[in-house]
DNA sequence: TCAATGCTTCGGCTACGGTCGAAGTATGAA
DNA sequence: TTCATACTTCGACCGTAGCCGAAGCATTGA
């Protein structure tokens, strides 16, 4: 009765607390070194090294060597998507809802999901782009319209560079906190980068929280608000 | 750095081969007894009982007692969704692609996902309903249009009964084999049921495969084809 | 009441995998 | 060259969790 692919291998990898912490940390989209990840996971370097080896063998993370450092990133959008789906389960069905601290509220408002904007702000961004006709949604795919392409260029995004990349321009991504879609894909990533470049928002170091400046808040409302 | 919900508990549950088999078996949507699931998982009844207890405690499955039998079903659409996401990962990144037998081809063509139609037929159904204006897709949600409601009633679906249910009428569901969206939710379930009632298709006992009759194939093309 | 079936609980065995200390390799800086 | 940093490999320890045999409930039917 072995139907479909073997879930258990993948799930078992995520099932270890140390590895789950590593993956969660990488959801921030930042490339982290083995030592940093060991700290995140709360284990020694040797142990983390073993975990990282397994995760890499399963292609759940990628690794780039740079000098004597090894920088790790998530394996791809699929991995991020599956992790978010699990977070949704854990948040909903999860019996013990760990205290909803102030950090959680900030996470719900605006955070980074793998490498693009998520949370309320992420949803607002997607809605704004939909209502302005920058993107259109059909079936599962999200398509960038001509209007949207022009907007992106005027917004300072190097669209040609994105098109050279093999990853899809736009992808929908489901949010675990609000259970609504926001924009992933290379356009999603580029938009977040650009917002940071323009000083609209900053990443809080060591967390997934994205903090908008008051100037950025106003500009966001202007560009994407309803 | 504990951000977001705790993935590892849930993932560890899915990570055990026996439990993964149980969950995969339940993806068929059928309610199965403890003994049947023990067979699916390849373990003895005692072991299965322990597993089922854990899965139920985590609200990943539900259980209904009937006489001296206990019937188990998946805990909800979220669970099915997360499982499909994991299958997508396992199928894509999975190093060892277990032989793609003839059964796999049938699964790709038409199968049951939790309780609604998936595979190529599932995608075609959703596309057909979209192009006919029976449903419209906005953001994450899929909405049943007035035209769609009329169609459902004429198709033999008791729409009023569905509306009394608290589960959403329409939900998108991502497919692991084709990576495209198909229709879940109570309408998705009702449509599959109705197709079986009308003799369009049959379930192959003990698998997730849905086999369309030649008559059903033609009728499907007529109603939903492009 | 007795027997049969379906499931649960208990106890003990086993093995797999996570963990860390210590030693080993590679890269870069002084 | 020598030292420091970043990571890997090895080996051993230990805990947890899966597994099954056997016995225990519970429901049904005769």
């Amino acid at each position: 009765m072995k139907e479909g692919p073997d879930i258990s291998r993948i799930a078992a990898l995520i099932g270890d607390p140390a590895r789950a912490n590593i993956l969660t940390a990488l959801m921030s989209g930042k490339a982290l070194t083995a030592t940093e990840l060991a700290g995140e996971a709360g284990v020694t370097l040797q142990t983390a090294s073993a975990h990282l080896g397994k995760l890499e063998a399963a292609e759940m993370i990628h690794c780039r060597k740079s000098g004597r450092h090894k920088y790790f990133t998530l394996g791809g959008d699929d991995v991020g998507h599956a992790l978010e789906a699990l977070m949704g389960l854990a948040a909903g069905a999860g019996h013990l809802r760990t205290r909803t601290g102030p950090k959680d509220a900030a996470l719900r408002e605006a955070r980074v999901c793998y490498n693009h904007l998520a949370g309320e702000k992420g949803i607002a961004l997607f809605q704004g782009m939909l209502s302005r006709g920058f993107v259109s949604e059909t079936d599962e795919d999200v398509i960038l319209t001509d209007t949207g392409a022009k907007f992106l260029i005027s917004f300072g995004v190097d669209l040609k560079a994105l098109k050279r990349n093999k990853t899809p321009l736009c992808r929908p991504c489901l949010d675990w906190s609000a259970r609504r879609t926001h924009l992933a894909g290379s356009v999603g990533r580029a938009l977040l980068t650009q917002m940071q470049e323009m000083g609209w928002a900053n990443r809080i170091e060591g967390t997934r929280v994205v903090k908008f400046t008051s100037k950025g808040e106003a500009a966001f409302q202007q560009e994407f608000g309803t």
Side-chain angles (χ1 to χ4, degrees), chain A:
Chain A
M1 289 306 142
K2 263 271 189 72
E3 297 177 17
D6 179 21
I7 304 185
S8 69
R9 290 187 74 93
I10 299 283
L13 280 174
I14 312 175
D16 178 77
R19 283 192 294 258
N21 284 338
I22 288 176
L23 291 170
T24 308
L26 288 176
M27 284 283 282
S28 70
K30 257 178 71 173
L32 298 172
T33 67
T35 312
E36 289 169 321
L37 288 171
E40 289 287 334
V43 293
T44 60
L45 186 53
Q46 311 94 287
T47 308
S49 180
H51 286 314
L52 290 169
K54 289 177 189 175
L55 288 174
E56 199 185 355
E59 295 183 23
M60 298 192 65
I61 58 176
H62 283 149
C63 148
R64 190 165 46 86
K65 283 184 77 167
S66 164
R68 53 183 162 183
H69 295 270
K70 279 185 88 171
Y71 288 98
F72 291 91
T73 51
L74 271 202
D77 284 359
D78 329 19
V79 180
H81 181 254
L83 290 176
E84 285 271 331
L86 282 175
M87 285 186 184
L89 254 194
H95 26 144
L96 50 131
R97 183 79 200 94
T98 47
R99 73 209 180 294
T100 309
K103 205 196 237 171
D104 270 6
L107 275 178
R108 238 182 294 276
E109 171 58 23
R111 70 173 182 280
V112 135
C113 164
Y114 185 29
N115 53 23
H116 54 268
L117 192 60
E120 291 301 327
K121 270 284 188 302
I123 295 168
L125 173 64
F126 186 52
Q127 287 301 310
M129 293 187 69
L130 266 181
S131 66
R132 279 166 181 72
F134 293 165
V135 292
S136 70
E137 201 181 20
T138 67
D139 184 19
E140 181 213 1
D141 296 324
V142 175
I143 293 166
L144 186 67
T145 62
D146 290 343
T147 326
K150 287 193 192 108
F151 163 77
L152 281 180
I153 292 165
S154 78
F155 196 67
V157 172
D158 185 356
L159 194 57
K160 280 184 190 164
L162 296 189
K163 281 185 176 168
R164 275 195 294 275
N165 206 320
K166 77 180 164 78
T167 56
L169 284 175
C170 297
R171 273 198 50 178
C173 180
L174 191 60
D175 196 298
W176 61 260
S177 54
R179 306 212 172 183
R180 298 189 61 190
T181 307
H182 55 259
L183 189 63
S186 57
V187 166
R189 184 175 60 237
L191 280 173
L192 176 58
T193 311
Q194 190 61 19
M195 287 182 194
Q196 291 179 254
E197 293 269 326
M198 299 193 300
W200 286 19
N202 298 302
R203 299 276 305 272
I204 308 283
E205 193 63 31
T207 74
R208 294 173 63 192
V209 174
V210 174
K211 180 75 185 158
F212 273 72
T213 62
S214 57
K215 181 192 116 195
E217 192 80 48
F220 183 94
Q221 187 63 27
Q222 167 81 23
E223 285 287 358
F224 304 106
T226 46

